[in-house]
């Protein structure tokens, strides 16, 4: 027996901070619960006034009944707050089934791609915005939230929207079930749920200190550039380009990071150099990861939901979410513990004295904001160049396989082949190894020069 489910919810916390933080908020609640057993008609329970039927609750606890939803991780997370001891091992995700078949990630786009007769209700976004998202109070309407009784006709539409989502989900599952992935993929998916539910502890003292120090650094850089340029907003690309053109005597087409770095490598006036250095400080996007941590941390002091199973649909790889664990800046500081303590003291002057670039120190310490529980430690393990090995085998690239067989470094070998010079890790032309790695992996996944 199968039980298909879809829920509509409310929370004061924006969903962009992660589903776990959204559900963890004290204002979270399930508004509507649509369900269907096997081929029975879809029923909708208005949970603002009625509890779930006993039959449904029993099914949530029954390991013999398969529970399904589109993006089931969200439904499971929501129900876990109401029924923490229910069965979460016999759930299946129709979204993962679609992604396994190289179909889009959204319910609407999957139904369109499959040309199903059933389509997702187009009124959804408007109704979600009305009932499931806080509203800005006004003088005439001080309410911060729309309730069902505020708009009975719209609420009736929302109920039908919820019902239709289950209809569409069931139609997609019926069409794709014969292409269901092997059982091992389901085990991986369940493991993914466990990982995301467990989450990672965050050193919020470090996070708050990083944000505070960055504010001080940004304020100082902004004031410095205002004085040097006389501009009202030196962070404005248009205003800054005009000033630089006047100082340098030639037009600048763009002001990208590479452009700024190239200019700094040239012989330029000292005031221009300082303004460009300030520009780099003001453009430090890495601080956004600290902000993401602060916004996403839950009441248990942990961040959850940072991985998405089958996030990359064609390769089936996990994708990073919330803080984006797969794209954390590297650190090269020899004494990370000392740097962490200085940052926690919020002494920007000391950071500058010890390391010369406070903004870069803050960037390098991002990884260290994720910490193990007291009495535990992180164990870092990795398969050596596993993707490059598999790609070489799949592509029948014998010379690459020979590099592995001889114990060589494939990224050095690729860089050497690209630049026609010897490349050694931590040795001669070692800086080119990273370029070899980027090319090796990017081309393996369909990257190219755009031609």
């Amino acid at each position: 027996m199968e039980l298909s489910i879809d829920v509509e919810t409310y929370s004061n916390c924006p969903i962009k901070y992660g589903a776990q933080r959204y559900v963890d908020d004290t204002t979270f609640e399930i508004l509507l619960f649509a369900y269907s057993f096997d081929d029975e008609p879809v029923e909708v329970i208005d949970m603002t006034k009625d509890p779930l039927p006993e039959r449904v609750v029993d099914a949530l606890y029954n390991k013999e009944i398969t529970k399904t939803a589109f993006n089931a991780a969200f439904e499971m997370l929501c129900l876990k707050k109401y029924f923490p001891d229910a069965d979460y091992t016999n759930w299946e995700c129709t979204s993962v089934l679609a992604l396994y078949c190289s179909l889009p990630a959204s319910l609407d786009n999957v139904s369109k791609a499959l040309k199903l007769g059933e389509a997702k209700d187009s009124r959804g976004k408007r109704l979600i915005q009305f009932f499931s998202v806080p509203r800005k109070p006004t003088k005439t309407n001080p309410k911060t939230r729309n309730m069902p009784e505020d708009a009975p006709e719209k609420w009736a539409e929302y109920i039908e929207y919820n019902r239709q989502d289950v209809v569409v989900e069931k139609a997609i599952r019926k069409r794709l079930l014969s292409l269901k992935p092997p059982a091992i993929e389901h085990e991986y998916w369940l493991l993914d749920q466990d990982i995301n539910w467990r989450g990672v502890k965050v050193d919020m003292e470090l996070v708050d200190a990083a944000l505070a120090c960055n504010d001080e650094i940004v304020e100082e850089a902004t004031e410095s550039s205002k004085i040097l340029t006389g501009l009202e907003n030196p962070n404005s690309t248009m205003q800054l380009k005009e000033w630089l053109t006047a100082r340098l005597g030639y037009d600048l087409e763009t002001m990208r990071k590479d452009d700024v770095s190239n200019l700094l490598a040239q012989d330029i006036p000292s005031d221009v150099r300082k303004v460009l250095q300030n520009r780099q400080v003001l453009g430090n996007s890495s601080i956004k990861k600290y902000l993401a941590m602060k916004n996403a941390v839950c009441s248990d002091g942990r961040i959850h939901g940072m991985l998405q199973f089958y996030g990359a649909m064609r390769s089936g790889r996990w994708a990073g979410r919330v803080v984006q664990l797969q794209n954390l800046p590297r650190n090269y500081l020899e004494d990370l513990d000392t740097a962490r303590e200085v940052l926690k003291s919020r002494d920007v002057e000391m950071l500058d004295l010890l390391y010369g670039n406070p903004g870069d120190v803050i960037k390098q310490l991002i990884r260290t904001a994720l910490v193990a529980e007291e009495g535990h430690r992180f164990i870092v393990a990795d398969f050596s160049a596993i993707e490059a090995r598999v790609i070489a085998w799949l592509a029948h690239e014998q010379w690459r396989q020979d590099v592995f067989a001889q114990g060589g470094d494939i990224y050095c070998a690729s860089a050497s082949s690209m630049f026609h010079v010897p490349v050694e890790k931590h040795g001669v032309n070692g800086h080119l190894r990273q370029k070899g790695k980027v090319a090796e992996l990017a081309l393996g996944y369909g990257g190219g020069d755009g031609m």
Side-chain angles (χ1 to χ4, degrees):
M1 177 178 282
E2 287 189 2
L3 172 61
S4 300
I5 298 171
D6 184 73
V7 299
E8 302 301 336
T9 59
Y10 176 87
S11 175
N12 281 346
C13 177
I15 192 69
K16 66 181 180 180
Y17 295 156
Q20 279 78 0
R21 175 65 185 86
Y22 175 89
V23 173
D24 184 63
D25 197 86
T26 55
T27 63
F28 169 81
E29 65 174 303
I30 297 177
L31 303 176
L32 299 172
F33 183 100
Y35 71 94
S36 170
F37 284 96
D38 292 333
D39 294 325
E40 295 178 11
V42 179
E43 303 288 341
V44 180
I45 304 301
D46 181 348
M47 291 186 67
T48 65
K49 59 182 182 181
D50 296 318
L52 290 183
E54 186 175 340
R55 182 190 181 199
V56 173
V57 175
D58 289 343
L60 293 177
Y61 282 86
N62 191 335
K63 294 185 178 182
E64 301 301 316
I65 295 179
T66 300
K67 278 73 69 173
T68 74
F70 198 92
N71 189 22
F74 182 72
E75 270 71 17
M76 294 165 73
L77 189 63
C78 295
L79 290 168
K80 201 173 180 67
K81 192 160 187 178
Y82 285 71
F83 308 101
D85 300 323
D87 168 58
Y88 294 99
T89 61
N90 199 13
W91 276 74
E92 294 183 7
C93 182
T94 305
S95 175
V96 171
L97 177 58
L99 289 169
Y100 181 76
C101 298
S102 293
L103 289 165
S106 75
L107 183 69
D108 185 32
N109 288 334
V110 173
S111 65
K112 289 177 180 177
L114 294 176
K115 299 180 180 179
L116 297 174
E118 303 293 349
K120 184 178 174 66
D121 196 325
S122 60
R123 298 171 293 181
K125 288 184 180 179
R126 174 174 55 84
L127 294 167
I128 289 171
Q129 191 66 32
F130 190 83
F131 288 111
S132 293
V133 178
R135 68 178 300 277
K136 291 183 179 179
T138 62
K139 290 182 179 179
T140 57
N141 186 352
K143 285 188 174 183
T144 58
R145 178 181 174 185
N146 293 314
M147 302 300 291
E149 58 269 23
D150 295 329
E153 291 184 2
K154 286 186 177 180
W155 186 249
E157 288 182 20
Y158 206 17
I159 289 173
E160 290 309 308
Y161 166 76
N162 186 214
R163 187 193 313 276
Q164 183 63 14
D165 270 5
V166 173
V167 171
V168 176
E169 186 267 334
K170 286 166 64 74
I172 292 172
R173 181 172 172 81
K174 185 175 182 180
R175 176 73 65 86
L176 300 178
L177 200 54
S178 62
L179 302 173
K180 186 176 177 180
I184 189 66
E185 293 292 334
H186 185 252
E187 292 181 28
Y188 291 150
W189 179 70
L190 290 175
L191 175 62
D192 176 73
Q193 308 313 305
D194 287 340
I195 291 171
N196 282 319
W197 286 344
R198 180 178 299 173
V200 180
K201 187 177 179 181
V202 185
D203 186 341
M204 287 307 298
E205 183 184 358
L206 183 76
V207 170
D208 289 336
L211 291 170
C213 288
N214 183 73
D215 287 344
E216 185 177 334
I217 293 168
V218 167
E219 183 178 356
E220 183 180 325
T222 301
E223 287 304 311
S224 170
S225 289
K226 280 184 177 180
I227 294 171
L228 290 169
T229 64
L231 298 174
E232 183 179 342
N233 180 14
N235 202 30
S236 165
T237 300
M238 184 177 295
Q239 291 183 33
L240 187 58
K241 279 174 66 177
E242 290 179 359
W243 182 83
L244 287 170
T245 297
R247 287 292 290 120
L248 296 172
Y250 57 86
D251 290 336
L252 297 171
E253 292 184 6
T254 59
M255 280 290 294
R256 295 171 300 193
K257 287 184 179 180
D258 289 346
D259 298 320
V260 173
S261 297
N262 290 336
L263 279 171
L264 285 170
Q266 299 174 23
D267 183 14
I268 53 179
S270 59
D271 60 339
V272 173
R273 181 172 299 280
K274 181 59 178 176
V275 168
L276 290 175
Q277 289 171 341
N278 289 339
R279 172 80 174 184
Q280 289 182 320
V281 170
L282 296 172
N284 182 12
S285 61
S286 295
I287 198 67
K288 293 179 181 178
K289 289 194 180 292
Y290 285 110
L291 190 59
M293 292 179 189
K294 186 176 181 65
N295 288 332
V297 68
C298 292
S299 56
D300 61 358
R302 305 172 79 86
I303 299 178
H304 304 262
M306 291 191 286
L307 295 173
Q308 182 181 342
F309 185 78
Y310 252 84
M313 65 179 183
R314 295 196 184 279
S315 65
R317 297 177 68 196
W318 266 267
R321 295 291 182 262
V322 187
V323 177
Q324 186 52 271
L325 290 179
Q326 296 172 335
N327 187 26
L328 296 176
R330 298 183 178 190
N331 48 45
Y332 304 96
L333 296 170
E334 293 185 3
D335 191 348
L336 289 172
D337 289 336
T338 299
R340 280 169 50 82
E341 291 309 310
V342 175
L343 178 57
K344 286 184 179 182
S345 73
R346 306 192 180 196
D347 191 337
V348 175
E349 198 172 323
M350 182 61 72
L351 281 174
D352 190 26
L353 180 66
L354 292 176
Y355 304 103
N357 188 338
D360 187 58
V361 175
I362 292 173
K363 177 180 177 179
Q364 290 193 51
L365 291 179
I366 288 175
R367 289 174 183 251
T368 74
L370 303 174
V371 295
E373 282 285 0
E374 195 71 31
H376 296 75
R377 58 178 178 160
F378 283 143
I379 302 295
V380 180
D382 189 15
F383 289 108
S384 177
I386 184 62
E387 291 177 277
R389 292 174 189 267
V390 174
I391 290 169
W393 179 75
L394 289 173
H396 304 289
E397 283 277 3
Q398 190 58 50
W399 76 267
R400 283 183 165 86
Q401 296 181 53
D402 291 342
V403 170
F404 289 119
Q406 295 162 12
D409 186 308
I410 189 61
Y411 304 133
C412 287
S414 293
S416 180
S417 178
M418 289 163 59
F419 297 103
H420 307 291
V421 295
V423 178
E424 297 178 10
K425 187 176 182 180
H426 307 309
V428 60
N429 297 316
H431 65 286
L432 295 176
R433 181 180 183 273
Q434 184 63 21
K435 295 184 182 294
K437 181 175 182 178
V438 170
E440 186 78 15
L441 299 181
L443 294 172
Y445 287 103
D449 59 5
M451 294 180 65

